[in-house]
């Protein structure tokens, strides 16, 4: 079984400042890792994912996350945030085999302040 | 770009009534899921479905819940007798193959009064 911990429930940050949203996971098997974003009153959108290969993955809107196996982490970072990044961010993990479901963290609400 | 769709977007029902939530997964996807998110809480897995049968279900998915793929395109979640605590956002998701990425629909917000 897997579990995901997002220690920060809310992160306020000023526009154009850097941000890091933390995610730690636990699993007894190999995992895939994901960040999903939920904008107000909308569904879940995939932001980025780690399946294999390079441990640093990037999204098209400037976010990046690095898979650190030794620290069982997959922190999300952005060097300069915009007002439009205000949303709830969910870290999720799944096993690599077959049909395993996603296990989500509790989410981090990122609020970007002008 | 193909996407998962869900209907209705909102549903209000009385306690004890049956509801059916509908999803149209991405057309070449083979694995289907339902998740729910109670207001202010995290997204929780309900059930996965592959090859016309349930693959896995959580302890939330009790006898009041059922899923069906009645034709080649729809994937439904039925709640037989709704309870107040079933009020939540219900998300459908699908993926193409084992180990792939799950893509989520926009959700159905269910309110049980």
């Amino acid at each position: 079984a897997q579990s995901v911990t997002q220690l920060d429930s809310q992160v306020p940050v000023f526009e154009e400042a850097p941000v890091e949203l933390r995610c730690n996971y636990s699993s007894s098997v190999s995992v895939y890792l994901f960040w999903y974003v939920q904008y107000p009153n909308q569904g879940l959108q995939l932001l980025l994912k780690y399946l294999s290969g390079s441990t640093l993955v990037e999204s098209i809107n400037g976010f990046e996350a690095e898979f650190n196996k030794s620290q069982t982490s997959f922190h999300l970072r952005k060097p300069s945030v915009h007002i439009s990044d205000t949303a709830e961010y969910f870290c999720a993990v799944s096993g690599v085999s077959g049909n395993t479901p996603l296990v989500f963290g509790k989410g981090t609400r990122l609020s970007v302040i002008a | 770009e193909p996407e998962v769709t869900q209907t209705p977007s909102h549903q209000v029902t009385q306690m004890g009534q049956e509801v059916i939530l509908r999803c149209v997964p991405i057309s070449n996807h083979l694995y289907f899921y339902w998740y729910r998110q109670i207001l202010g809480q995290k997204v929780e897995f309900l059930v996965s479905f592959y090859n016309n049968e349930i693959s896995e279900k959580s302890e939330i998915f009790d006898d009041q819940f059922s899923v069906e793929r009645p034709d080649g395109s729809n994937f439904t979640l039925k709640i037989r007798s709704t309870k107040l605590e079933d009020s939540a956002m219900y998300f459908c998701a699908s993926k193409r193959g084992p180990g792939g990425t799950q893509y989520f629909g926009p959700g159905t917000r269910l309110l049980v009064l």
Side-chain angles (χ1 to χ4, degrees):
Chain A
Q2 293 91 34
S3 68
V4 176
T5 302
Q6 291 181 252
L7 287 172
D8 307 304
S9 59
Q10 296 189 58
V11 173
V13 63
F14 286 105
E15 193 173 17
E16 297 183 5
V19 69
E20 178 180 81
L21 307 183
R22 294 179 293 169
C23 172
N24 288 89
Y25 70 93
S26 68
S27 177
S28 57
V29 299
S30 297
V31 295
Y32 295 141
L33 292 154
F34 306 84
W35 277 98
Y36 285 85
V37 58
Q38 185 178 33
Y39 297 104
N41 300 314
Q42 294 188 29
L44 295 166
Q45 299 176 31
L46 179 68
L47 185 62
L48 46 74
K49 61 188 177 185
Y50 170 78
L51 302 182
S52 65
S54 173
T55 57
L56 183 65
V57 291
E58 299 177 353
S59 72
I60 58 173
N61 58 351
F63 282 94
E64 65 178 31
E66 185 159 19
F67 170 52
N68 188 318
K69 190 174 182 180
S70 62
Q71 297 187 5
T72 60
S73 67
F74 191 56
H75 301 329
L76 182 69
R77 302 183 183 94
K78 188 170 185 179
S80 175
V81 295
H82 303 288
I83 294 288
S84 58
D85 294 325
T86 294
E88 188 94 18
Y89 291 80
F90 292 94
C91 182
V93 64
S94 75
V96 303
S97 61
N99 201 12
T100 54
L102 287 168
V103 175
F104 285 85
K106 291 186 176 181
T108 298
R109 181 168 299 279
L110 174 64
S111 299
V112 181
I113 306 161
Chain B
E1 185 176 326
E3 56 185 24
V4 178
T5 60
Q6 290 184 242
T7 54
S9 58
H10 294 77
Q11 178 145 6
V12 181
T13 190
Q14 295 291 323
M15 189 170 57
Q17 294 297 304
E18 174 183 285
V19 295
I20 298 176
L21 310 183
R22 292 183 167 78
C23 169
V24 179
I26 295 172
S27 62
N28 62 350
H29 285 192
L30 300 176
Y31 297 82
F32 314 112
Y33 305 82
W34 282 102
Y35 294 81
R36 79 171 185 191
Q37 183 185 27
I38 294 172
L39 188 63
Q41 298 186 25
K42 66 178 177 180
V43 178
E44 302 172 291
F45 167 71
L46 292 177
V47 65
S48 59
F49 192 88
Y50 169 71
N51 201 26
N52 285 319
E53 60 183 19
I54 291 174
S55 308
E56 186 174 344
K57 57 184 180 179
S58 72
E59 57 188 28
I60 302 169
F61 194 88
D62 61 22
D63 291 344
Q64 293 299 310
F65 291 88
S66 63
V67 289
E68 194 178 29
R69 189 156 161 80
D71 52 42
S73 59
N74 290 284
F75 179 51
T76 62
L77 174 69
K78 181 193 291 185
I79 309 175
R80 258 181 277 281
S81 178
T82 50
K83 303 187 279 286
L84 296 176
E85 54 264 38
D86 293 328
S87 295
M89 179 76 93
Y90 288 81
F91 292 107
C92 173
S94 70
K95 70 178 183 182
R96 184 171 182 179
T101 300
Q102 292 182 33
Y103 292 91
F104 283 76
T108 294
R109 186 171 295 283
L110 176 65
L111 178 61
V112 182
L113 301 176

